[in-house]
């Protein structure tokens, strides 16, 4: 019984911590408002593996593939790349971007991002605000992904 109570208290602590981080700063150049679902809660579930219970949260994996627009000047590419990075910085500052990075090799998928959003619609909206996506430099695929809350990369 004590372990159950401890687990509930731990969940509530994590939940309130996550909600506190959702209050984004509003930079002067913030993109358009994000559509909200009727329920402003993250989707979470518990999964038991042996005698351990894991708390999973639904994140959204965004795959940025090579887009159809490839015939840009070097200056245009540099400007678009800087705008793309600024957008990623904004997503990070507002606690929407969990992790991102380019993929190795010369494949079609150029970059992967994990977003923390309330819904698929919000994640799609956030990624479509990216100037490089708008310009056709990337196409986007957004996939729901269940990840353990508090997990870290090693």
């Amino acid at each position: 019984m004590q372990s159950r109570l401890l687990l509930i208290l731990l969940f509530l602590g994590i939940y309130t911590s996550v909600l506190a981080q959702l209050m984004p700063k509003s930079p002067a150049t913030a993109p358009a408002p994000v559509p909200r679902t009727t329920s402003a809660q993250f989707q979470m579930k518990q999964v038991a593996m042996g005698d351990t219970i894991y708390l999973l949260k639904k994140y959204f994996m965004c795959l940025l593939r090579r887009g159809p627009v490839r015939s840009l000047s070097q200056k245009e590419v540099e400007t678009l790349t800087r705008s793309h990075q600024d957008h990623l910085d904004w997503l990070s500052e507002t606690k929407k971007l969990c992790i991102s990075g380019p993929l190795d090799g010369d494949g079609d998928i150029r970059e992967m991002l994990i977003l923390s959003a309330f819904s698929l619609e919000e994640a799609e909206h956030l990624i479509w605000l990216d100037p490089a996506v708008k310009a056709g430099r990337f196409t986007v695929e957004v996939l729901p992904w269940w990840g353990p809350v508090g997990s870290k990369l090693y």
Side-chain angles (χ1 to χ4, degrees), residues 43-47 54-59 146-149:
Q43 296 178 40
M44 297 188 152
K45 65 181 176 182
Q46 291 182 354
V47 175
Y54 294 95
L55 181 63
L56 300 180
K57 175 183 166 188
K58 187 183 279 188
Y59 296 92
W146 289 97
V149 172

Side-chain angles (χ1 to χ4, degrees), residues 14-84:
I14 292 170
Y15 184 72
T16 55
S17 174
V18 167
L19 286 180
Q21 293 178 6
L22 290 178
M23 303 311 269
K25 300 172 195 161
S26 296
T29 59
V34 176
R36 297 283 179 177
T37 58
T38 53
S39 169
Q41 293 183 349
F42 290 111
Q43 296 178 40
M44 297 188 152
K45 65 181 176 182
Q46 291 182 354
V47 175
M49 297 179 93
D51 61 351
T52 305
I53 297 176
Y54 294 95
L55 181 63
L56 300 180
K57 175 183 166 188
K58 187 183 279 188
Y59 296 92
F60 297 91
M61 180 185 308
C62 302
L63 302 176
L64 301 182
R65 299 177 189 275
R66 276 184 221 272
V69 177
R70 307 311 298 165
S71 58
L72 299 174
S73 71
Q74 184 64 29
K75 184 171 175 62
E76 290 171 318
V77 170
E78 288 172 5
T79 301
L80 206 50
T81 301
R82 192 170 24 259
S83 296
H84 169 68

Side-chain angles (χ1 to χ4, degrees), residues 129-142:
L129 291 174
D130 187 327
V133 173
K134 285 182 181 179
R137 190 85 174 146
F138 295 121
T139 60
V140 179
E141 182 178 1
V142 181

Side-chain angles (χ1 to χ4, degrees), residues 116-131:
S116 177
F118 292 115
S119 66
L120 178 65
E121 292 79 18
E122 180 185 6
E124 288 174 339
H125 178 79
L126 290 170
I127 200 66
W128 277 96
L129 291 174
D130 187 327

